[in-house]
């Protein structure tokens, strides 16, 4: 998502912290437990409504035009010629299991082309309609941006298919009048690197590609002027072999590392050994100790591991947000915006973890090698990844479940049938007493995701003898009905949490939340006083954690002290 910046001057002159941002993890087939290529993405923005987008495949007549609208704002940009045939897309995946995710790193502000007519969101969704492989997608992105002009700031793209995964970084060239009312610098400079099989990569709103090989087209592609343009602009001096894309076009500083690359480090340290050596970099203290572009995991990475890495709050690190008094009396790992605050003339930060409250939608997409290409899976969810749940949407799906529809509610209009609003209801309730409520939510999430991951291999046999059309119709129905089932389950969870945790108390239960959801879920689930009138018994009053109590005493203990 587009970067919004707050100056973080106290930490480092000119440094910035993103107030809205995204996170991508990329897992090659040789690094995954099921030989699938995986890309995760959290679309994070305080203004984005979480919905699932679908475009049907089409055959188009000569002369047909495609209107282009800026994804972030809805602003009309231009019309471009439509191609003869386009592919079906669902979310950030198409029917050929091509996946594209992104994070915005911004980069040098003077390189934004105000006359550009293709924004980064349009590059994603138009390319998904036109390309079938990762390499074809890279060519399509370059052609679109160079033909119509690039309307956004610097971007990192995750681009994957069932065989390979790439990280591509690009930025515009700014504006220079060509004497004819046009832009002499129209287009982009860019580099794309193929992630070695068996490795994982990640990006999170900071440019990640530094030096790169110029003689390995199988594994590295780049704009012919990527180095010469940097020289022309005064961004680089030296030998071509020493050229670093990131250092030229998006130099790192304390803010971009602490607020962005730290999320990459959190993922790497979860799946790979030796990452503690980069802790000082992740915290912004030693920018020379740069993270590698990719790492080899200690063991192969499962889809569920990727799901859970998207739920990270820096647990177990110095940046763990549950450990200081800012977490309140219930260890809440969130800090509301703005990203910085000032006390007695000194500025401090609020951490920006992978899981964040302002997520619109998120996914983990799988391009699979054990099934037809139209059986790739978009594990899709809405709202904060830490307290929401992913459900499988097959990439050939031809219908959006009502609960995920763009037409069902908006950021300014509540809808009782919208998954985005339902998950926000549950999550915002959880923020009040996070330590207890999130634990119940996580039990439900883990069971749902593990059960549906276990069911996936069975679909291969189920559709084995179906025609292409029958398979797609069946998988569409599975995707839609499963999403509907998740919505119903979360509605029941919403009611359960309110009954159990209302008014700061906790009602005692005969069994846990899963029993409630899998059974009738009535009053009999909770402990009553035995008089047959559904009056609760053994009500618990958990109070607050020790750190919070000591902080209150330090702040106002003389007034609150009990005198005996």
């Amino acid at each position: 998502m587009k970067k919004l910046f707050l100056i973080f001057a106290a930490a480092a002159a000119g440094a910035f912290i993103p107030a809205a941002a995204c996170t991508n993890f990329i897992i090659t087939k040789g690094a995954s437990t099921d030989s699938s290529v995986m890309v995760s993405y959290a679309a994070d923005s305080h203004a984005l409504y979480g919905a699932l987008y679908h475009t049907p495949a089409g055959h188009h007549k000569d002369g047909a035009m495609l209107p282009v609208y800026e994804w972030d704002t809805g602003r009309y940009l231009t019309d471009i010629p439509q191609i003869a045939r386009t592919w079906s897309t669902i979310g950030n995946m198409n029917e050929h299991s091509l996946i594209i995710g992104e994070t915005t790193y911004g980069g040098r502000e003077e390189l934004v082309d105000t006359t550009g007519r293709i924004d980064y969101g349009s590059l994603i969704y138009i390319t998904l309609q036109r390309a079938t492989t990762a390499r074809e997608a890279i060519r399509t992105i370059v052609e679109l941006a160079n033909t119509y002009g690039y309307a956004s700031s610097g971007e990192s793209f995750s681009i994957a298919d069932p065989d390979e995964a790439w990280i591509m970084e690009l930025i515009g060239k700014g504006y220079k009048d060509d004497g004819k009312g046009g832009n002499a610098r129209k287009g982009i400079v860019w580099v794309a690197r193929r992630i070695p099989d068996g490795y994982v990569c990640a990006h999170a709103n900071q440019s990640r590609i530094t030096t790169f090989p110029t003689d390995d087209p199988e594994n590295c592609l780049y704009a012919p002027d990527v180095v010469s343009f940097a020289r022309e602009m005064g961004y680089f001096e030296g030998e071509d072999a020493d050229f670093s894309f990131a250092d030229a076009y998006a130099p790192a500083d304390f803010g971009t590392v602490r607020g962005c690359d730290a999320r990459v480090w959190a993922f790497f340290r979860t799946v790979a050994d030796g990452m503690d050596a980069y802790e000082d970099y992740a915290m912004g203290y030693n920018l020379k100790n740069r993270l590698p572009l990719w790492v080899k995991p200690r063991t192969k990475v499962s889809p569920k591991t990727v799901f859970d890495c998207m739920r990270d709050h820096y647990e177990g690190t110095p940046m763990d947000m549950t450990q200081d008094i800012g977490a309140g009396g219930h260890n809440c790992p969130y800090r509301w915006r703005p990203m910085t605050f000032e006390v007695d003339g000194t500025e401090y930060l609020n951490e920006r973890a992978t899981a964040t409250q302002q997520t619109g939608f998120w996914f983990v997409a799988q391009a699979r090698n054990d099934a037809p290409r139209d059986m790739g899976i978009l594990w899709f969810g809405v709202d904060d990844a830490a307290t929401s749940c992913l459900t499988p949407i097959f990439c050939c799906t031809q219908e959006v479940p009502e609960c995920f529809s763009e037409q069902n509610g908006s950021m300014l209009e509540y809808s009782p049938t919208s998954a985005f609003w339902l998950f926000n209801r549950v999550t915002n309730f959880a923020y009040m007493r996070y330590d207890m409520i999130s634990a119940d939510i996580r039990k439900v999430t883990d069971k749902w995701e593990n059960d549906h991951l276990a069911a996936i291999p069975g679909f291969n046999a189920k559709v084995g003898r179906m025609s292409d059309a029958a398979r797609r119709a069946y998988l569409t129905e599975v995707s839609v009905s499963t999403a509907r089932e998740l919505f119903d389950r979360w509605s029941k969870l919403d009611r359960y949490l309110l009954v159990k945790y209302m008014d700061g108390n906790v009602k005692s239960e005969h069994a846990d939340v899963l029993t409630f959801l899998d059974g009738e879920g009535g009053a009999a689930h909770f402990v009553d006083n035995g008089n047959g009138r559904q009056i609760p018994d053994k009500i618990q009053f958990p109070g607050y954690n020790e750190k919070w109590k000591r902080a209150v005493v330090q702040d106002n203990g003389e007034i609150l002290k009990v005198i005996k």
Side-chain angles (χ1 to χ4, degrees):
M1 289 297 295
K2 183 178 291 183
K3 262 184 159 183
L4 304 176
F5 295 101
L6 289 174
I7 293 177
F8 196 7
F16 295 95
I17 286 285
C22 306
T23 307
N24 281 195
F25 304 148
I26 312 169
I27 296 83
T28 58
K29 62 182 180 180
S32 68
T33 54
D34 60 2
S35 297
S36 67
V37 178
M38 289 182 276
V39 174
S40 72
Y41 175 47
D44 300 335
S45 166
H46 296 274
L48 177 67
Y49 186 68
L52 182 61
Y53 316 131
H54 168 59
T55 304
H59 293 273
H60 307 282
K61 297 179 180 179
D62 288 346
M65 301 296 286
L66 175 69
V68 178
Y69 297 90
E70 187 173 41
W71 187 47
D72 281 323
T73 68
R75 176 174 63 102
Y76 168 76
L77 294 174
T78 190
D79 286 345
I80 66 173
Q82 184 58 282
I83 64 173
R85 181 175 184 180
T86 53
W87 307 113
S88 171
T89 71
I90 190 77
N92 288 54
M93 195 172 193
N94 75 10
E95 61 182 292
H96 297 281
S97 285
L98 174 64
I99 308 161
I100 306 179
E102 61 79 29
T103 72
T104 305
Y105 62 80
R108 296 187 182 272
E109 295 181 6
E110 67 269 21
L111 297 184
V112 174
D113 176 8
T114 57
T115 67
R117 288 296 175 262
I118 297 285
D119 69 299
Y120 76 94
S122 299
L123 285 180
I124 292 174
Y125 296 111
I126 295 173
T127 296
L128 286 171
Q129 295 174 49
R130 298 185 174 193
T132 61
T133 67
R135 290 173 189 264
E136 188 179 352
I138 292 169
R139 292 194 297 270
T140 302
I141 288 170
V142 172
E143 180 183 1
L144 287 169
N146 285 342
T147 301
Y148 302 105
Y150 180 55
S152 301
S153 60
E155 282 286 326
S156 300
F157 286 133
S158 303
I159 306 174
D161 61 33
D163 299 315
E164 57 185 9
W166 292 71
I167 178 172
M168 179 184 188
E169 297 195 329
L170 58 88
I171 195 167
K173 300 179 183 179
Y175 179 81
K176 182 179 180 180
D177 196 325
D178 63 3
K180 302 175 183 178
N183 184 7
R185 292 178 178 160
K186 183 171 68 173
I188 55 174
V189 285
W190 60 277
V191 178
R193 298 202 64 181
R194 180 176 178 267
I195 301 162
D197 196 31
Y199 285 72
V200 302
C201 184
H203 53 93
N205 304 110
Q206 171 57 30
S207 178
R208 299 270 293 121
I209 299 177
T210 55
T211 57
F212 54 91
T214 58
D215 57 354
D216 186 10
E218 183 66 19
N219 297 297
C220 185
L221 304 169
Y222 55 91
D225 60 345
V226 66
V227 178
S228 62
F229 180 71
R231 291 186 189 279
E232 175 189 336
M233 297 297 292
Y235 304 150
F236 174 68
E237 296 178 356
E239 300 295 326
D240 284 5
D242 297 327
F243 176 75
S244 163
F245 184 90
D247 291 329
Y249 294 114
D253 55 34
F254 174 88
T256 61
V257 171
R258 182 67 168 262
C260 304
D261 270 352
R263 286 173 267 152
V264 175
W265 173 74
F267 169 60
F268 282 1
R269 72 182 294 273
T270 302
V271 301
D273 293 326
M275 292 299 107
D276 286 347
Y278 298 96
E279 182 180 290
D280 60 348
Y281 174 79
M283 296 187 72
Y285 300 157
N286 182 4
L287 302 189
K288 294 181 180 180
N289 189 26
R290 200 160 199 156
L291 278 173
L293 181 56
W294 44 63
V295 296
K296 189 174 183 64
R298 68 178 67 90
T299 59
K300 292 192 175 184
V301 180
S302 71
K304 179 60 171 159
T305 296
V306 183
F307 297 0
D308 292 341
C309 283
M310 293 297 289
R311 299 181 164 112
D312 184 81
H313 299 114
Y314 297 128
E315 287 88 350
T317 78
M319 295 177 281
D320 187 341
M321 292 188 289
T322 67
Q323 297 304 302
D324 65 50
I325 192 60
H330 294 286
N331 302 330
C332 183
Y334 296 93
R335 304 294 183 269
W336 315 133
R337 298 301 182 256
M339 290 290 295
T340 62
F341 60 97
E342 183 177 310
V343 176
D344 297 332
T346 300
E347 200 158 9
Y348 301 88
L349 65 89
N350 290 314
E351 305 288 1
R352 199 316 194 173
T354 300
T356 185
Q357 63 269 22
Q358 74 267 18
T359 297
F361 66 83
W362 67 293
F363 67 74
V364 176
Q366 285 189 277
R368 304 164 62 203
N369 286 279
D370 64 345
R373 289 208 166 203
D374 64 0
M375 287 187 68
I377 305 171
L378 184 79
W379 296 89
F380 185 79
V382 290
D383 194 34
D384 183 348
T387 44
S388 63
C389 193
L390 294 173
T391 192
I393 306 289
F394 286 93
C395 71
C396 61
T397 296
Q398 299 299 303
E399 179 185 346
V400 172
E402 180 192 12
C403 62
F404 293 139
S405 172
E406 293 180 80
Q407 285 73 47
N408 188 1
S410 72
M411 285 295 280
L412 300 177
E413 180 184 10
Y414 177 84
S415 169
T417 56
S418 160
F420 179 78
W421 281 114
L422 174 61
F423 277 87
N424 267 280
R425 282 171 59 92
V426 172
T427 295
N428 277 270
F429 187 56
Y431 293 154
M432 297 172 61
R433 277 176 292 165
Y434 196 83
D435 51 354
M436 294 180 287
I437 298 176
S438 67
D440 276 338
I441 295 173
R442 188 60 182 267
K443 290 177 184 177
V444 180
T445 294
D446 284 347
K447 185 176 190 307
W448 174 272
E449 291 174 350
N450 286 327
D451 285 352
H452 285 82
L453 281 164
I456 293 301
F459 288 105
N460 292 3
K462 180 76 173 179
V463 304
R465 296 185 178 180
M466 292 182 181
S467 67
D468 289 351
R471 180 176 68 245
R472 294 183 180 200
Y474 171 72
L475 293 175
T476 296
E477 173 56 30
V478 168
S479 301
V480 171
S481 62
T482 304
R484 186 184 307 120
E485 180 185 348
L486 175 62
F487 182 88
D488 292 343
R489 191 168 181 82
W490 226 254
S491 297
K492 196 172 183 179
L493 174 63
D494 181 32
R495 298 191 293 271
Y496 162 87
L497 294 173
L498 179 60
V499 172
K500 180 178 177 179
Y501 290 105
M502 65 180 290
D503 296 338
N505 306 325
V506 181
K507 292 184 177 69
S508 295
E509 305 169 271
H510 294 295
D512 69 4
V513 59
L514 296 177
T515 303
F516 181 92
L517 297 182
D518 293 336
E520 295 183 3
H525 175 84
F526 295 97
V527 175
D528 63 31
N529 66 7
N531 292 325
R533 295 183 179 274
Q534 296 184 355
I535 298 173
D537 196 18
K538 299 181 180 179
I539 296 175
Q540 303 166 51
F541 308 104
Y544 300 92
N545 62 37
E546 186 68 18
K547 179 168 286 189
W548 184 91
K549 288 186 285 188
R550 290 185 177 277
V552 171
V553 169
Q554 183 176 358
D555 179 62
N556 201 32
E558 289 303 312
I559 299 298
L560 300 177
K561 183 183 296 184
V562 175
I563 304 299
K564 297 183 180 179

